[in-house]
Amino acid sequence: MAHAPPLTTTFFLSFLLVAIFSSTTSHAHNITQILAKHPEFSTFNHYLTATHLAAEINRRLTITVLALDNSAMSSLLSKQYSIPTLKNILSLHVLTDYFGSKKLHQITDGSSLTSSMFQASGSATGTSGYVNITDLKGGKVGFGTEDNNGKLDAVYVKSLKEIPYNISVLQISQVLNSEEAAAPIAAPSDLNLTVIMAKQGCKAFADLLKDTGAKTTFEQNLDGGLTVFCPTDAVISSFMPRYKNLTAAHKVSLLLYHGVPVYQSLQTLKSSNGVMNTLATDGANKYDFTVQDDGEDVTLKTKVVTAKITGTLKDEEPLIIFKVNKVLLPRELFKAEPEPAAHSPKAAKAPKGAKSNKADAADEEADAPVDDSADQTADNENGVGKINGGKLIWIVLSLCMEIFFM
C-alpha cells in the first residue's frame, strides 16, 4: 500500500515546481530580435547594438523603446555624430518606465514627465534626460525632451511590440532633440586600426581599407566597440583577382563585412553562436554571417564560405582584431556554393574504396557548422538568456510521483 509523503516534502516539491514553471514562462525580452521582424527599423536596430544600448535594454525588467524608422535614422546619421554621441541621443529614446499604447491615452492630467536611459546614465545634467509625454487633441500623443523649451518634436505612430509591464516598443515620427545629448564627446581611444593590422600580418587588408575609404567607417565605430576579422596577407593576395572584379561600392561592402560594431572577445564568440550583423548590414542588405563554436575553433559561416579564426592580433577594449584564414564572402555579392554531390543518390553508388574529389569536398562541407536558425542574433552579449525548463518540469513531476507512490 502506498504511503503519502510527509506534508513538508509535498509542499517543498510543489513550491519548487511552481518556481521552475514561473521561471520558464517568463520571457526575457530581446530588443534585437523584436526589431529584426521589422526591416524598416533595421538601422535603428543596428545602432542599438553598436552603442551597446541593446544590452542595457535587455537587462532591464521594465522599459519602453521609442523606435525610429530608417528614414528618421537617416536624418540623424546625416549629422555625422560620433558613436558616443549617438548613444546619448538614442538613450533619450529609451524610457525607464512602461508605456503601452493604451497607457499613452490614459496619462494623468494629460501629461507625464518620465526618465530616460540618458538620465539614468549620469551623463545628463538636471532634468535634461527626461522626456515629456503629452496626450494631444485628436488622439495624438506628443513626445519632447525636457531641455527643448517644451517643444514636442515627435508624435506616436504605432505599437511594434508590447509585453505588458515588461517592454513596449513604440514607433515615433522623428528624433527627439536635446542639445545636451547631442553635445560632442571626445574619443576615448587613440588606437590606430590600420597601423596595428600592418604590424601584425594584415597589411594588405589595412591597405584596402585605406584605399577604399572604408577605414573611416571602422574608425567611427571604434569608440562604441569594434570587432574586426582580418584576412592575412597571403589570403588577400590569392583573393585579389576576384576582388578587382568588384565595383567600387561592392569593394567597400565586402570590407565592411569584416567588421562587427561591438566588442566581442573570443570567449564571447564561443558562447554566442548565431547570426551576427556587420558594418555592412543596412536595411534589406543583411550582410550577416553565423558564428559557430566548433570544438577548439570558432568558425564564421557566410552561406558562401566558412572561415576560421586563427589568432588574435589585438585585444584592447573597445577594439579586438582576429586573424581569419579566408576572406568572408557575403551571399549578397557572391554565389552560394552548390549542394555537395555526395548527398545525392547517385553519389551513394560510388564503388567501394573509391573517393572522388567531389566526395572530398562534400566531407569538408559536412564538417562545416550549420546555420540552425535565422532568428538567432549576436545578443548573448546583450544579456539575454533562455531557460530550457521543460525538462526540469518533467524531472520534478517524476520525482513528485515517485515519492507519492513510495
Side-chain angles (χ1 to χ4, degrees), residues 107-148:
I107 296 174
T108 305
D109 298 326
S111 184
S112 175
L113 196 62
T114 187
S115 174
S116 70
M117 281 181 58
F118 180 49
Q119 183 71 28
S121 70
S123 299
T125 59
T127 59
S128 61
Y130 283 85
V131 175
N132 180 11
I133 306 174
T134 301
D135 191 5
L136 304 171
K137 293 180 180 180
K140 290 185 177 182
V141 178
F143 296 82
T145 58
E146 182 67 3
D147 68 339
N148 197 32

Side-chain angles (χ1 to χ4, degrees), residues 3 16 20 38 71 86 91 93 106 110 125-126 143 161 183 208 239 246 253 261 270 274 287 327 341 347 369 401:
H3 298 283
L16 183 61
I20 292 175
H38 303 274
S71 176
L86 276 175
S91 65
H93 296 72
Q106 297 176 342
T125 59
F143 296 82
K161 179 73 173 181
L208 294 179
F239 178 73
L246 297 173
S253 295
K270 285 185 174 183
Y287 281 101
V327 174
M401 295 295 289

